Amino acid sequence: MADPILLFTGEELRRAGAMMNPLDVLAEELVAPGASAGVPGAAAYWCTLTPWTPADAGTDAGNVTETLVLCELSGTGDRSLMPAEMLRLLGAAALTALAVRELLGPGLITACVLGSGLAAEVQLAVNAQHTRDISHVAVWPGGTTDAAPLDPRVLDQLELAGARLTSTASVEQALFGANLVIVTGDVGDAPTGTHLAKGALVVNAAGLELPAGFADGAQVHLVDDARLLTGAPDPQMYLDLGATAAGRHDARPVDADLGQVLTGLHRGRPHLDAIVVVELLSAGLLILPLAGRLHQLARRLGLGRPVG
């Protein structure tokens, strides 16, 4: 008899993610797809993700209302259900932290996050753990007056990382002096010709085009995975549920992707004062290798409950 399917909550995925280094998992995949399977030259991916419905899986997950995906490890039959939205956000946050690691110059980091809600919270949590030398974070919650307060655990993470957190009333205030800009939501009302600090790194993790003029001063325009520019997502790397638009980019030429930066084929930042924009084309997608690693670790930690 097959082992029961484990149901992981979004909180359990976050806990498993905090116990691993997702940056290295994604770096391996961007450089050599299939590398995270642990089998040199692996031709097939080691896990699959499929949309889940109770009828398809023959299971009852109780009163779960969020969209779930079924993760299955090839060759083992290990299966789990995980919330699609949390998996997506963890992938985007890990790619953001990877871009910071590879592209931001040395010294203290003054960051700003443009957006609110769970997307901003996950970005803050992952970057507080994996990004060094953050001294200050300014958050612009998207012009809303009723943004939910951040999880106290995220505030604790920022404090332990030595980062001071402030909330701002405008995009301009959040951007002032920031050398790291993380976009998680719609900044459509950002003023044209927004001023970016010298040497700033802008990571667009919102899955939306940046406003016209927002990053006109950028010298380098990168994407996470250039394969997403030319066609449908590779089904062995990504799952597109269609619920969230895949990342879109504007008409500016793309200089390279993160895989080329990681392998040294592109230098990434030509000089310390250059403004670099990284657009996450996978912002609306689920990343299979990350799901597989999260499944393995969550199972090892004894998380989840059996269903079916």
Coordinates of all heavy atoms in Angstrom, one line a residue, residues 41-101:
G41 N 24.2 14.8 -14.5 CA 23.7 14.6 -15.9 C 22.2 14.1 -15.9 O 21.8 13.5 -16.9
A42 N 21.5 14.2 -14.8 CA 20.1 13.7 -14.8 C 19.3 14.3 -15.9 O 19.3 15.5 -16.1 CB 19.5 14.0 -13.5
A43 N 18.7 13.5 -16.7 CA 17.9 14.0 -17.9 C 16.5 14.4 -17.4 O 15.9 15.2 -18.0 CB 17.9 12.9 -18.9
A44 N 16.0 13.7 -16.4 CA 14.6 13.9 -16.0 C 14.6 14.5 -14.6 O 15.5 14.3 -13.8 CB 13.8 12.6 -16.0
Y45 N 13.6 15.4 -14.4 CA 13.5 16.0 -13.1 C 13.0 15.0 -12.1 O 12.3 14.0 -12.4 CB 12.6 17.2 -13.2 CG 13.3 18.4 -13.6 CD1 13.9 18.5 -14.8 CD2 13.5 19.5 -12.7 CE1 14.7 19.6 -15.2 CE2 14.2 20.6 -13.0 CZ 14.8 20.7 -14.3 OH 15.5 21.8 -14.7
W46 N 13.3 15.2 -10.8 CA 13.2 14.2 -9.8 C 11.9 14.4 -9.0 O 11.6 13.7 -8.1 CB 14.3 14.2 -8.9 CG 14.7 15.6 -8.3 CD1 15.3 16.6 -8.9 CD2 14.4 16.0 -7.0 NE1 15.4 17.7 -8.1 CE2 14.9 17.4 -6.9 CE3 13.8 15.5 -5.8 CZ2 14.8 18.1 -5.7 CZ3 13.8 16.2 -4.7 CH2 14.2 17.5 -4.6
C47 N 11.1 15.5 -9.4 CA 9.8 15.6 -8.7 C 8.8 16.2 -9.7 O 9.2 16.8 -10.7 CB 9.9 16.5 -7.5 SG 9.8 18.2 -7.8
T48 N 7.6 16.0 -9.5 CA 6.5 16.5 -10.3 C 5.6 17.3 -9.5 O 5.4 17.0 -8.3 CB 5.8 15.4 -11.1 OG1 5.2 14.5 -10.1 CG2 6.7 14.6 -12.0
L49 N 4.9 18.3 -10.1 CA 3.9 19.1 -9.5 C 2.7 19.1 -10.4 O 2.8 19.3 -11.6 CB 4.3 20.5 -9.3 CG 5.2 20.9 -8.1 CD1 5.5 22.4 -8.1 CD2 4.5 20.5 -6.8
T50 N 1.5 18.8 -9.8 CA 0.3 18.8 -10.6 C -0.8 19.5 -9.7 O -0.8 19.4 -8.5 CB -0.2 17.4 -10.9 OG1 -0.3 16.6 -9.7 CG2 0.8 16.7 -11.9
P51 N -1.7 20.2 -10.4 CA -2.8 20.8 -9.7 C -3.6 19.7 -9.0 O -3.8 18.6 -9.5 CB -3.6 21.5 -10.8 CG -2.7 21.7 -11.9 CD -1.7 20.5 -11.9
W52 N -4.2 20.0 -7.9 CA -4.8 19.0 -7.1 C -6.3 19.3 -6.9 O -6.7 20.4 -6.7 CB -4.2 18.9 -5.7 CG -4.9 18.0 -4.7 CD1 -4.7 16.6 -4.6 CD2 -5.9 18.3 -3.8 NE1 -5.5 16.1 -3.7 CE2 -6.2 17.1 -3.1 CE3 -6.5 19.5 -3.4 CZ2 -7.2 17.0 -2.1 CZ3 -7.5 19.4 -2.4 CH2 -7.8 18.2 -1.8
T53 N -7.1 18.3 -7.0 CA -8.5 18.3 -6.6 C -8.8 17.0 -5.8 O -8.2 16.0 -6.0 CB -9.5 18.4 -7.8 OG1 -9.4 17.1 -8.5 CG2 -9.2 19.6 -8.7
P54 N -9.7 17.1 -4.8 CA -10.0 15.9 -4.1 C -10.4 14.7 -5.0 O -10.0 13.5 -4.7 CB -11.2 16.3 -3.2 CG -11.0 17.8 -3.1 CD -10.5 18.2 -4.4
A55 N -11.1 14.9 -6.0 CA -11.5 13.8 -6.9 C -10.3 13.2 -7.6 O -10.2 12.0 -7.7 CB -12.5 14.3 -7.9
D56 N -9.4 14.0 -8.0 CA -8.2 13.5 -8.7 C -7.3 12.6 -7.8 O -6.8 11.6 -8.1 CB -7.3 14.6 -9.2 CG -8.0 15.3 -10.4 OD1 -8.9 14.7 -11.0 OD2 -7.6 16.5 -10.7
A57 N -7.1 13.1 -6.5 CA -6.2 12.5 -5.6 C -6.9 11.4 -4.8 O -6.2 10.6 -4.1 CB -5.6 13.5 -4.7
G58 N -8.2 11.4 -4.8 CA -8.9 10.4 -3.9 C -8.7 10.7 -2.4 O -8.6 9.8 -1.6
T59 N -8.5 11.9 -2.1 CA -8.2 12.3 -0.7 C -9.2 13.3 -0.2 O -9.8 14.0 -1.0 CB -6.8 12.8 -0.5 OG1 -6.7 14.0 -1.3 CG2 -5.8 11.8 -1.0
D60 N -9.2 13.5 1.1 CA -10.0 14.5 1.7 C -9.1 15.4 2.6 O -8.6 14.9 3.6 CB -11.1 13.9 2.5 CG -12.0 15.0 3.2 OD1 -11.8 16.2 2.9 OD2 -12.8 14.6 4.1
A61 N -8.9 16.6 2.2 CA -8.0 17.5 2.9 C -8.8 18.3 3.9 O -8.2 19.3 4.4 CB -7.2 18.4 2.0
G62 N -10.0 18.0 4.2 CA -10.8 18.7 5.2 C -11.2 20.1 4.6 O -11.6 20.2 3.4
N63 N -11.3 21.1 5.5 CA -11.8 22.4 5.1 C -10.8 23.3 4.5 O -10.8 24.5 4.8 CB -12.5 23.0 6.3 CG -13.7 22.2 6.8 OD1 -14.5 21.7 6.0 ND2 -13.8 22.1 8.1
V64 N -9.9 22.8 3.7 CA -8.8 23.6 3.1 C -9.5 24.4 1.9 O -10.1 23.8 1.0 CB -7.7 22.8 2.6 CG1 -6.6 23.6 1.8 CG2 -7.0 22.0 3.7
T65 N -9.3 25.7 1.9 CA -9.9 26.5 0.9 C -8.9 27.1 -0.1 O -9.3 27.5 -1.2 CB -10.7 27.7 1.5 OG1 -9.8 28.5 2.3 CG2 -11.8 27.2 2.3
E66 N -7.6 27.0 0.2 CA -6.6 27.6 -0.7 C -6.2 26.6 -1.8 O -6.5 25.4 -1.6 CB -5.4 28.0 0.1 CG -4.7 26.8 0.9 CD -3.7 27.3 1.9 OE1 -3.1 28.4 1.6 OE2 -3.5 26.7 2.9
T67 N -5.7 27.1 -2.8 CA -5.3 26.2 -3.9 C -4.1 25.3 -3.5 O -3.1 25.9 -3.0 CB -4.9 27.0 -5.2 OG1 -6.0 27.8 -5.6 CG2 -4.5 26.2 -6.3
L68 N -4.2 24.0 -3.8 CA -3.1 23.1 -3.4 C -2.5 22.5 -4.7 O -3.2 22.4 -5.7 CB -3.6 22.0 -2.5 CG -4.2 22.4 -1.2 CD1 -4.8 21.2 -0.4 CD2 -3.2 23.1 -0.3
V69 N -1.3 22.1 -4.6 CA -0.6 21.3 -5.6 C -0.1 20.0 -5.0 O 0.3 19.9 -3.9 CB 0.5 22.0 -6.3 CG1 -0.1 23.2 -7.2 CG2 1.5 22.6 -5.3
L70 N -0.1 18.9 -5.9 CA 0.4 17.6 -5.5 C 1.8 17.5 -5.9 O 2.2 17.6 -7.1 CB -0.4 16.5 -6.1 CG -0.1 15.1 -5.7 CD1 -0.3 14.8 -4.3 CD2 -0.8 14.1 -6.6
C71 N 2.7 17.3 -4.9 CA 4.2 17.1 -5.2 C 4.5 15.6 -5.0 O 4.1 15.0 -4.0 CB 5.0 17.9 -4.2 SG 6.8 17.7 -4.3
E72 N 5.1 15.0 -6.1 CA 5.5 13.6 -6.0 C 6.9 13.4 -6.4 O 7.3 14.0 -7.4 CB 4.6 12.8 -6.9 CG 4.8 11.3 -6.9 CD 3.8 10.5 -7.6 OE1 2.8 11.1 -8.2 OE2 3.9 9.2 -7.6
L73 N 7.7 12.7 -5.6 CA 9.1 12.5 -5.9 C 9.2 11.3 -6.8 O 8.7 10.2 -6.5 CB 9.9 12.3 -4.6 CG 9.9 13.4 -3.6 CD1 10.9 13.2 -2.5 CD2 10.0 14.7 -4.2
S74 N 9.9 11.4 -7.9 CA 10.0 10.4 -8.9 C 10.8 9.2 -8.2 O 11.8 9.4 -7.6 CB 10.8 10.9 -10.1 OG 10.1 12.0 -10.7
G75 N 10.3 8.0 -8.5 CA 10.9 6.8 -8.0 C 10.7 6.4 -6.6 O 11.0 5.3 -6.2
T76 N 10.1 7.2 -5.8 CA 9.9 6.9 -4.4 C 8.4 6.8 -4.1 O 8.0 6.1 -3.2 CB 10.5 8.0 -3.5 OG1 9.8 9.2 -3.6 CG2 12.0 8.2 -3.8
G77 N 7.6 7.5 -4.8 CA 6.1 7.5 -4.5 C 5.8 8.4 -3.4 O 4.6 8.6 -3.0
D78 N 6.8 9.1 -2.8 CA 6.5 10.1 -1.7 C 5.6 11.2 -2.3 O 6.0 11.8 -3.4 CB 7.7 10.7 -1.2 CG 8.4 9.8 -0.2 OD1 7.8 8.7 0.1 OD2 9.5 10.1 0.3
R79 N 4.5 11.5 -1.6 CA 3.6 12.6 -2.1 C 3.2 13.5 -1.0 O 3.1 13.1 0.1 CB 2.4 11.9 -2.8 CG 2.6 11.0 -4.0 CD 1.4 10.4 -4.5 NE 0.8 9.5 -3.6 CZ -0.5 9.0 -3.7 NH1 -1.2 9.3 -4.7 NH2 -0.9 8.2 -2.8
S80 N 3.0 14.7 -1.4 CA 2.4 15.7 -0.4 C 1.6 16.7 -1.2 O 1.7 17.0 -2.4 CB 3.6 16.4 0.3 OG 4.4 17.2 -0.6
L81 N 0.7 17.4 -0.4 CA 0.0 18.5 -0.9 C 0.5 19.8 -0.2 O 0.8 19.8 1.0 CB -1.5 18.4 -0.5 CG -2.3 17.2 -1.2 CD1 -3.6 17.0 -0.5 CD2 -2.4 17.5 -2.7
M82 N 0.7 20.8 -1.0 CA 1.2 22.1 -0.4 C 0.5 23.3 -1.0 O 0.1 23.2 -2.2 CB 2.8 22.1 -0.6 CG 3.2 21.9 -2.0 SD 5.1 21.9 -2.2 CE 5.5 20.5 -1.2
P83 N 0.4 24.3 -0.3 CA -0.3 25.5 -0.8 C 0.5 26.2 -1.9 O 1.7 26.5 -1.8 CB -0.4 26.5 0.4 CG -0.1 25.6 1.6 CD 0.8 24.5 1.1
A84 N -0.2 26.4 -3.0 CA 0.5 26.9 -4.2 C 1.0 28.3 -4.0 O 2.1 28.6 -4.4 CB -0.5 26.9 -5.4
E85 N 0.3 29.1 -3.3 CA 0.7 30.5 -3.1 C 1.9 30.6 -2.3 O 2.8 31.4 -2.6 CB -0.5 31.3 -2.5 CG -0.2 32.8 -2.3 CD 0.0 33.6 -3.6 OE1 -0.1 33.0 -4.7 OE2 0.2 34.8 -3.5
M86 N 2.0 29.9 -1.2 CA 3.2 30.0 -0.4 C 4.4 29.4 -1.1 O 5.5 30.0 -1.0 CB 3.0 29.2 0.9 CG 4.2 29.2 1.9 SD 4.8 30.9 2.3 CE 3.4 31.5 3.3
L87 N 4.2 28.4 -1.9 CA 5.3 27.8 -2.7 C 5.8 28.9 -3.7 O 7.0 29.1 -3.9 CB 4.9 26.6 -3.4 CG 5.9 25.9 -4.3 CD1 7.2 25.6 -3.5 CD2 5.3 24.7 -4.9
R88 N 4.9 29.6 -4.3 CA 5.2 30.6 -5.3 C 6.0 31.8 -4.6 O 7.1 32.2 -5.1 CB 4.0 31.2 -5.9 CG 4.2 32.2 -7.0 CD 2.9 32.8 -7.5 NE 2.3 33.7 -6.6 CZ 2.6 35.0 -6.4 NH1 3.6 35.5 -7.1 NH2 1.9 35.7 -5.5
L89 N 5.5 32.2 -3.5 CA 6.2 33.3 -2.8 C 7.6 33.0 -2.3 O 8.5 33.8 -2.3 CB 5.3 33.8 -1.6 CG 3.9 34.4 -2.0 CD1 3.1 34.8 -0.8 CD2 4.2 35.7 -2.9
L90 N 7.7 31.8 -1.8 CA 9.0 31.3 -1.3 C 10.0 31.3 -2.5 O 11.2 31.6 -2.3 CB 8.9 30.0 -0.6 CG 8.3 29.9 0.8 CD1 8.1 28.5 1.2 CD2 9.2 30.7 1.8
G91 N 9.6 30.8 -3.6 CA 10.5 30.8 -4.8 C 10.9 32.2 -5.2 O 12.1 32.5 -5.5
A92 N 9.9 33.1 -5.3 CA 10.2 34.5 -5.6 C 11.2 35.2 -4.6 O 12.1 35.9 -5.0 CB 9.0 35.3 -5.8
A93 N 11.0 34.9 -3.3 CA 11.8 35.5 -2.3 C 13.2 34.9 -2.4 O 14.2 35.6 -2.2 CB 11.2 35.3 -0.9
A94 N 13.4 33.6 -2.6 CA 14.7 33.0 -2.7 C 15.4 33.5 -3.9 O 16.6 33.8 -3.9 CB 14.5 31.5 -2.8
L95 N 14.7 33.7 -5.1 CA 15.4 34.3 -6.3 C 15.8 35.7 -6.0 O 16.9 36.1 -6.5 CB 14.4 34.2 -7.5 CG 14.3 32.9 -8.1 CD1 13.1 32.9 -9.1 CD2 15.6 32.4 -8.9
T96 N 15.0 36.5 -5.3 CA 15.4 37.8 -4.9 C 16.7 37.8 -4.1 O 17.6 38.6 -4.4 CB 14.3 38.5 -4.1 OG1 13.1 38.6 -4.9 CG2 14.7 39.9 -3.7
A97 N 16.7 37.0 -3.1 CA 17.9 36.9 -2.2 C 19.2 36.4 -3.0 O 20.3 36.8 -2.8 CB 17.7 36.0 -1.0
L98 N 18.9 35.5 -4.0 CA 20.0 35.1 -4.8 C 20.6 36.2 -5.7 O 21.8 36.4 -5.8 CB 19.5 33.9 -5.7 CG 20.5 33.4 -6.8 CD1 21.8 32.8 -6.1 CD2 19.9 32.3 -7.7
A99 N 19.7 37.0 -6.2 CA 20.1 38.2 -7.0 C 20.9 39.2 -6.1 O 21.9 39.7 -6.6 CB 18.9 38.9 -7.6
V100 N 20.4 39.4 -4.9 CA 21.1 40.3 -4.0 C 22.5 39.7 -3.7 O 23.5 40.5 -3.8 CB 20.4 40.4 -2.7 CG1 21.2 41.2 -1.7 CG2 19.0 41.1 -2.9
R101 N 22.6 38.4 -3.5 CA 24.0 37.8 -3.2 C 24.9 38.0 -4.3 O 26.1 38.2 -4.1 CB 23.8 36.3 -2.9 CG 25.0 35.6 -2.4 CD 24.8 34.2 -2.1 NE 24.7 33.4 -3.4 CZ 24.4 32.1 -3.4 NH1 24.2 31.4 -2.3 NH2 24.4 31.4 -4.5

